[in-house]
């Protein structure tokens, strides 16, 4: 039962199984976030098989959130149960359960055996579970995840470009990679922000965008932009209140948890006070990169 | 002890309150559907969910 360790935004998740017939490990971009070991993981997850006919255990539980997609969240006796289902299976069947304690420090993932290809390695925290776990950890006073592209320039300055789908995050990532020697993309779709000793850091995550760029690195946050495509390049500083609202609209809070929502709003408000946020109207070509770099110089 | 006279320069300029609407994207924010097509499992990008699949992308 050798555990696997993932370290995302300085939070470590250990997952393991006692079942020799179950082959597990990180897959896809999550592999880039695998670490050899950790003596004190933030989360420990035990993985096991279950049969499709096994009871799910939601009879007494309260539905806390329905994503409208492949997962629902239930709460029972201070435990949280994620139920994952897909219409690929008979009756829109359940393919995975994930049960966590109230602090999301310990969990169990149960995989419905008939839903997985026999003999193949499985990533039990497969999206969206890995991201949901991270959002719940961050919402407990640790940080915020934003729909954003994070780029570190050759001088180590962190640029955050926030935007919803289609805003131009992957385009921006590609342009900076092409035009700026030494530029590194931490992710072209999801960035975690945390504050440490008064400094805001942006962290790469495995949840990449079209350009499939992600790295297990962090950088001090230098500039914050909200992306807006336009016919010419321009920058407008947003008021702290507007910035906080714009960032919240591009964040991924734990919607079922009022304390986490409060924390997210507070975190983004403070960040907007301390790190001016700018609306970047940009043309989708290299001139946008040059424009931003000149505005920094 | 008289009250301090406020100089005209220290007066705050009145700005009319404005209502700003911020667009939310709830379907993106709740991670409801698939994103990654690079893993093995039921939620992989090839699944045929009733809603449009959220494959890797921004």
């Amino acid at each position: 039962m050798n555990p696997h360790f993932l370290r995302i935004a300085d939070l470590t998740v250990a997952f393991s199984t006692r079942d020799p017939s179950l082959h597990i490990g990180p897959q896809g971009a999550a592999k880039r976030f695998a670490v050899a070991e950790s003596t004190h993981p933030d989360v420990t997850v035990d993985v096991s098989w279950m049969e499709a006919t096994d009871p799910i255990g939601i009879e007494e539980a309260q539905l806390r959130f329905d994503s409208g997609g492949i997962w629902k969240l239930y709460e029972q006796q201070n435990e949280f149960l994620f139920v994952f289902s897909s219409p690929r299976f008979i009756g829109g069947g359940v393919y995975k359960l994930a049960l966590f304690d109230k602090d999301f420090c310990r969990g169990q993932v149960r995989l419905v055996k008939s839903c997985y290809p026999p003999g193949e390695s499985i990533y039990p925290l497969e999206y969206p579970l890995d991201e949901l776990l991270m959002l719940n950890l961050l919402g407990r006073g640790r940080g915020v995840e934003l729909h954003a592209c994070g780029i570190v320039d050759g001088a180590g300055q962190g640029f955050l470009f926030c935007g919803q789908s289609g805003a131009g995050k992957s385009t921006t990532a590609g342009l900076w990679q092409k035009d700026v020697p030494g530029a590194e993309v931490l992710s072209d779709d999801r960035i975690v922000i945390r504050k440490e000793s008064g400094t805001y850091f942006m962290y790469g995550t495995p949840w990449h965008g079209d350009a499939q760029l992600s790295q297990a690195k962090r950088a001090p946050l230098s500039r914050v932009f909200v992306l807006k495509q336009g016919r010419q390049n321009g920058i407008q500083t947003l008021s702290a209140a507007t910035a906080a609202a714009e960032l919240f609209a591009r964040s991924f809070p734990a919607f079922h948890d009022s304390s986490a929502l409060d924390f997210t709003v507070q975190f983004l408000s403070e960040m907007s006070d301390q790190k001016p946020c700018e609306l970047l109207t940009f043309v989708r070509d290299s001139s946008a990169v040059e424009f931003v770099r000149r505005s920094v110089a | 002890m008289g009250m301090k006279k406020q100089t005209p320069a220290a007066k705050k300029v009145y700005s009319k309150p404005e209502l700003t609407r911020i667009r939310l994207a709830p379907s993106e924010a709740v991670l409801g559907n698939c994103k990654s097509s690079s893993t093995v499992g039921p939620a992989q990008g090839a699944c045929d969910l009733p809603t449009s699949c959220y494959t890797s992308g921004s």
Side-chain angles (χ1 to χ4, degrees):
Chain A
M1 108 167 224
N2 289 333
H4 298 269
F5 298 99
L6 292 178
R7 191 156 180 80
I8 302 167
D10 283 345
L11 294 167
T12 306
V13 181
F15 61 95
S16 61
T17 181
R18 280 167 278 193
D19 187 336
S21 74
L22 183 50
H23 307 293
I24 59 172
Q27 290 178 4
K31 278 185 182 173
R32 299 172 200 157
F33 292 77
V35 291
E37 60 181 328
S38 170
T39 45
H40 300 291
D42 298 277
V43 189
T44 306
V45 179
D46 182 58
V47 186
S48 59
W49 288 123
M50 66 181 281
E51 300 298 331
T53 50
D54 288 350
I56 296 172
I58 55 170
E59 296 75 18
E60 305 290 317
Q62 185 187 359
L63 178 64
R64 289 289 300 268
F65 193 84
D66 183 348
S67 72
I70 60 175
W71 65 272
K72 289 179 183 173
L73 175 63
Y74 296 85
E75 184 178 2
Q76 185 177 16
Q77 293 171 346
N78 273 334
E79 288 188 318
F80 293 104
L81 175 67
F82 291 96
V83 178
F84 296 86
S85 58
S86 166
R88 285 184 77 192
F89 307 113
I90 297 167
V94 170
Y95 66 86
K96 179 164 72 180
L97 303 178
L99 182 70
F100 289 96
D101 64 3
K102 64 177 171 51
D103 297 320
F104 284 82
C105 293
R106 297 190 70 83
Q108 298 170 43
V109 171
R110 302 183 72 202
L111 307 166
V112 176
K113 201 169 186 177
S114 59
C115 297
Y116 290 84
E120 287 195 42
S121 179
I122 295 165
Y123 175 40
L125 306 177
E126 181 190 34
Y127 180 89
L129 176 56
D130 49 8
E131 195 171 354
L132 290 169
L133 177 55
M134 186 58 55
L135 300 184
N136 279 282
L137 291 170
L138 290 171
R140 282 162 168 72
R142 295 181 173 98
V144 171
E145 185 183 274
L146 290 168
H147 209 170
C149 159
I151 297 170
V152 188
D153 71 2
Q157 287 198 89
F159 294 79
L160 187 69
F161 299 93
C162 306
Q164 289 157 348
S165 291
K169 296 184 293 298
S170 293
T171 301
T172 299
L175 288 170
W176 278 71
Q177 272 203 323
K178 180 169 71 72
D179 295 345
V180 181
E184 291 188 289
V185 178
L186 300 186
S187 167
D188 61 334
D189 201 53
R190 304 278 212 267
I191 293 289
V192 168
I193 307 292
R194 299 189 68 185
K195 192 178 183 185
E196 187 182 302
S197 305
T199 302
Y200 288 97
F201 287 91
M202 59 181 208
Y203 291 80
T205 71
W207 309 295
H208 54 69
D210 285 336
Q212 304 201 9
L213 299 168
S214 61
Q215 287 197 65
K217 289 184 177 177
R218 76 171 191 178
L221 183 60
S222 177
R223 297 283 290 268
V224 181
F225 299 100
V226 172
L227 290 174
K228 181 186 175 190
Q229 294 180 41
R231 292 188 180 165
Q232 57 185 22
N233 299 310
I235 284 179
Q236 177 197 338
T237 302
L238 300 173
S239 70
T242 303
E246 293 282 3
L247 295 178
F248 182 78
R250 291 157 183 80
S251 69
F252 296 92
F255 285 103
H256 67 278
D257 183 339
S258 59
S259 301
L261 281 168
D262 282 348
F263 167 74
T264 302
V265 171
Q266 186 64 31
F267 184 94
L268 293 174
S269 299
E270 286 177 13
M271 187 175 125
S272 300
D273 277 336
Q274 292 169 32
K275 286 274 166 205
C277 176
E278 295 158 298
L279 178 68
L280 173 65
T281 307
F282 76 104
V283 184
R284 294 170 69 104
D285 62 27
S286 296
S287 69
V289 180
E290 183 56 30
F291 178 78
V292 171
R293 296 190 78 200
R294 261 192 284 120
S295 82
V296 176
Chain B
M1 251 182 81
M3 279 176 67
K4 263 191 178 175
K5 242 187 171 178
Q6 202 174 30
T7 58
K11 262 192 171 178
K12 264 189 147 180
V13 180
Y14 175 75
S15 58
K16 199 177 162 186
E18 283 180 24
L19 184 67
T20 307
R21 283 180 188 271
I22 308 286
R23 189 179 78 86
L24 298 172
S27 60
E28 295 172 20
V30 300
L31 317 181
N33 294 316
C34 301
K35 181 174 175 64
S36 171
S37 55
S38 57
T39 60
V40 172
Q44 63 180 304
C47 71
D48 44 7
L49 292 165
T51 50
S52 59
C53 184
Y54 185 19
T55 52
S56 55
S58 58

